[in-house]
Every structure is written in C-alpha cells, then in structure tokens.
C-alpha cells in the first residue's frame, strides 16, 4: 500500500456527496427544509410500512414529506434493507441491483414503503443516494460531473472518481476477506461494480475510488474549516452547519456509529467524551467505509486521521478503535 494506491472507499463517498450538496445550499438553489418532491415528484405519495408481507401489505400514508434535511441526516425513513426485518423483503425483491442509472435507482426506491415517519429517528440507508439524485436535478448536471467540478478538481484530487482508468488499474488495491479455511483471499464480486474498477453508475452513498493522498486533501479542507491552499470548498458557515449534531436526541436505530456521537450533515460528530469509548476531542467528526476505511477530522487538534485498509467484513479486527487511541495518546 502506497500513498497513491487506489482503494474502494465505499461510504466515505457520503462525506463528499454531502459537501457537494452543501454547495447548492450556499448558492440558494436548495434548502434544508425543502420537500424533495418539489424536485423529485416520484416521492409525492409516500407510505409507511406497518405490517404484513408482500402478499398482504399494511401501509399508512406518511404525514410528513421527506425533506432535504432528512436525506443529509438519514432520517428519511429509508434503510438499506439488510437488517433481517419484515420490511427488508421489499428491498430484496425490488431489483435495486438491476438499476442502470442513479435516476433509475431512485425511482425504484420511491416505490418502496418507508420504515417510519420521516424525521422520526436515524437509520442508515439510501438517503445519500437520493441526495445525489437531487443534486443532479437541481444542478442540471450528472452527479459525477458535478462532484468533479465542485470538489475533486478544485482540490487537486486527480485519482478520485467513479471509475479507474485503464492506465491506473495497476494501482487498484485488492480487497481481502477470510476464506472458510481462515486464510486471506481476494474478494471477487463487488455490488454495483460492472467490471473491476468501474461502478455501474455514480452513486451518492458509495462507489468512489480514491487514494489516501487525494482523500487527505479533501479531509484537510474540512479540517481547515472549508479551505485548502487558497481554494474554498465550503463557506465557513456551511462547514459549521455540517459539523454540529442535527439529531437533537432523536432515537438511533441499528447504530452505525459509536455512542457519544451525534450526526451532522453527512458526518458523525463527537458530542460526549464519556460515552464515546475512545480518546478524542469534542467536535471532531468523520465517517467510515464498508471495506474498512476510516476518517476522523479534528479541527481543534489540527488533525486528520485516515485508515485506508481493504478488508471485509467492516472493521472485523477492531482496528479503528486501536488506531484512534494510538494516534491520540501520541499527542503532547
């Protein structure tokens, strides 16, 4: 592994998507309170799952329309459908893996019932992919082009994108998992990846390839409050809004981040040192990716921490906790 080794960052894509969407809020083209059906009419008539099965479905109308804030904070009522609950049957039979574009995926999602009333509680899911589609519609640009122009090019992230060019494939890392004999073996199949190093279509919640050198530029921009080497990625106030807790004590279901953290606009934010379980700093923030990639940004300590391992399942060996403690104990 080198600084320019290209890896699958999976859900670390979500922070980049959130930053890109925030630029539209800065420009007044989008607002956190805006109902998304103003831009995506397929979400006009959402229903909430209350029981039954595919043969005998029990639904009630959603009283609250999904808004932009719900997408940023994973409070939309959408999940990933992977928790072995009755609702998950609909995700598994919806054919989401057959979608051939971001627009197609989002249209399929809009036909699914919600798990709960929008805004009621946090649950990780496809919200950031819907946010990416919203960016496409509002900006009038394909999502990958928008991200390229707003985030990647200004920050000099030349090895980051939704596909790895043929000339760079020799730098693409394998992802490993333990086989039945306990030995490490390469993972051979990646969902939504049509050929090695190329996602089927750009998504907001996952799919980016990047390097630790590239991603450190993006993370350093955030650590600096939205600016890197004279290039401003986010305004100071947009950065401040992104990195404070937006849940306000709302319940968290199937927790995907540690106790002691709230959730901002696309990032987990440390709000309680006593519950966090690791050394750290109040106000630090970040996220992780499925193949054991991890990002912590700590403006108070002027610190960016990145782990770019390529191993499934996610953080199987508790690396993130040990890494975090080892970094923080070294500060003087």
């Amino acid at each position: 592994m080198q600084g320019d080794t290209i890896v699958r960052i999976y859900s670390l894509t979500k922070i980049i998507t959130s930053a890109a969407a925030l630029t539209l809020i800065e420009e007044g083209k989008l607002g956190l309170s805006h109902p998304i059906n103003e831009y995506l009419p397929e979400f006009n008539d959402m229903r909430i799952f209350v029981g039954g099965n595919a043969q005998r479905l029990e639904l009630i109308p959603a009283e609250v329309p999904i808004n932009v804030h719900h997408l940023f904070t994973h409070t939309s009522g959408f999940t990933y459908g992977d928790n072995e609950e009755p609702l998950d049957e609909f995700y598994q039979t919806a054919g989401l893996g057959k979608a051939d574009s971001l627009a197609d995926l989002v249209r399929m999602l809009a036909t699914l019932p919600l798990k709960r009333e929008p805004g009621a509680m946090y649950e990780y899911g496809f919200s950031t992919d819907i946010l990416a589609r919203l960016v496409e519609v509002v900006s009038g640009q394909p999502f990958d082009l928008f991200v390229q122009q707003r985030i990647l090019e200004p920050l000099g992230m030349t090895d980051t994108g939704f596909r790895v060019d043929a000339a760079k494939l020799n730098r693409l890392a394998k992802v490993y998992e333990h086989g039945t004999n306990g030995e490490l073996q390469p993972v051979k199949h990646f969902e939504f990846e049509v050929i090695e190093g190329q996602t089927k279509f750009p998504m907001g919640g996952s799919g980016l390839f990047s390097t630790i050198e590239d991603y450190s530029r993006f993370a350093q921009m955030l650590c600096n409050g939205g600016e890197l080497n004279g290039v401003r990625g986010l305004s100071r106030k947009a950065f401040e809004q992104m990195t404070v807790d937006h849940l306000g004590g709302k319940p968290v279901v199937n927790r995907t981040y540690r106790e002691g953290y709230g959730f901002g606009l696309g990032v987990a934010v440390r709000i309680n040192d006593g519950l966090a379980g690791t050394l750290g700093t109040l106000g630090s923030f970040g996220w992780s990716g499925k193949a054991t990639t991890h990002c912590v940004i700590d403006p108070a300590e002027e610190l960016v921490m990145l782990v770019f391992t390529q191993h499934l399942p996610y953080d199987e060996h508790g690396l993130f906790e040990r890494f975090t403690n080892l970094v923080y104990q070294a500060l003087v």
Side-chain angles (χ1 to χ4, degrees), residues 20-294:
L22 274 167
T23 66
L24 292 176
I25 291 177
E26 292 177 327
E27 295 173 356
K29 296 176 181 176
L30 199 59
L32 289 176
S33 62
H34 289 180
I36 67 171
N37 60 10
E38 292 181 6
Y39 313 96
L40 301 170
E42 56 264 46
F43 291 94
N44 271 332
D45 184 28
M46 300 308 297
R47 304 278 171 151
I48 300 171
F49 177 80
V50 292
N53 53 41
Q55 288 70 43
R56 190 173 181 177
L57 188 58
E58 298 175 32
L59 302 174
I60 60 173
E63 296 180 3
V64 177
I66 300 170
N67 65 29
V68 176
H69 189 262
H70 297 147
L71 299 181
F72 271 110
T73 57
H74 292 281
T75 57
S76 66
F78 283 102
T79 75
Y80 272 133
D82 56 4
N83 296 314
E84 299 183 0
E85 297 174 349
L87 176 63
D88 298 344
E89 177 185 355
F90 299 95
Y91 280 82
Q92 292 155 11
T93 59
L96 300 178
K98 297 179 181 178
D100 56 15
S101 68
L102 181 59
D104 195 25
L105 174 67
V106 169
R107 279 192 295 269
M108 290 181 179
L109 288 169
T111 67
L112 296 176
L114 300 177
K115 187 171 179 181
R116 58 181 55 85
E117 196 71 51
M121 59 183 69
Y122 170 101
E123 185 162 6
Y124 202 44
F126 282 104
S127 292
T128 315
D129 298 291
I130 302 170
L131 182 64
R133 175 59 183 154
L134 196 61
V135 168
E136 284 192 328
V137 171
V138 173
S139 69
Q141 291 182 291
F143 179 64
D144 55 340
L145 180 60
F146 186 86
V147 169
Q148 185 74 28
Q149 293 180 351
R150 295 298 182 98
I151 304 293
L152 306 182
E153 286 181 359
L155 295 177
M157 298 170 67
T158 56
D159 285 330
T160 302
F162 289 97
R163 60 178 297 164
V164 180
D165 294 338
K168 298 180 179 181
L169 275 174
N170 64 318
R171 289 198 275 132
L172 177 62
K174 289 182 171 63
V175 180
Y176 287 90
E177 63 186 352
H178 291 290
T180 53
N181 62 357
E183 297 295 319
L184 285 173
Q185 63 184 25
V187 175
K188 295 180 180 178
H189 172 72
F190 300 96
E191 189 179 21
F192 290 107
E193 197 167 321
V194 284
I195 59 174
E196 185 181 35
Q198 184 174 329
T199 51
K200 197 173 182 181
F201 51 85
M203 298 173 66
S206 65
L208 276 176
F209 300 88
S210 190
T211 68
I212 205 163
E213 289 176 351
D214 265 16
Y215 207 88
S216 66
R217 297 180 67 81
F218 173 70
Q220 189 65 53
M221 178 272 289
L222 292 177
C223 191
N224 296 344
E227 178 272 335
L228 180 70
N229 298 333
V231 174
R232 182 150 286 281
L234 286 176
S235 68
R236 180 166 58 90
K237 286 300 178 183
F239 164 79
E240 290 174 2
Q241 186 78 342
M242 180 186 193
T243 56
V244 295
D245 176 46
H246 283 249
L247 296 183
K250 287 179 181 175
V252 175
V253 182
N254 299 317
R255 180 175 290 279
T256 51
Y257 57 86
R258 285 181 169 275
E259 293 274 0
Y261 286 76
F263 201 81
L265 301 181
V267 291
V269 183
R270 187 174 177 115
I271 58 175
N272 186 312
D273 279 338
L275 294 178
T278 63
L279 305 180
T281 306
L282 291 176
S284 61
F285 59 93
W287 202 237
S288 302
K290 177 180 177 180
T292 313
T293 53
H294 188 53

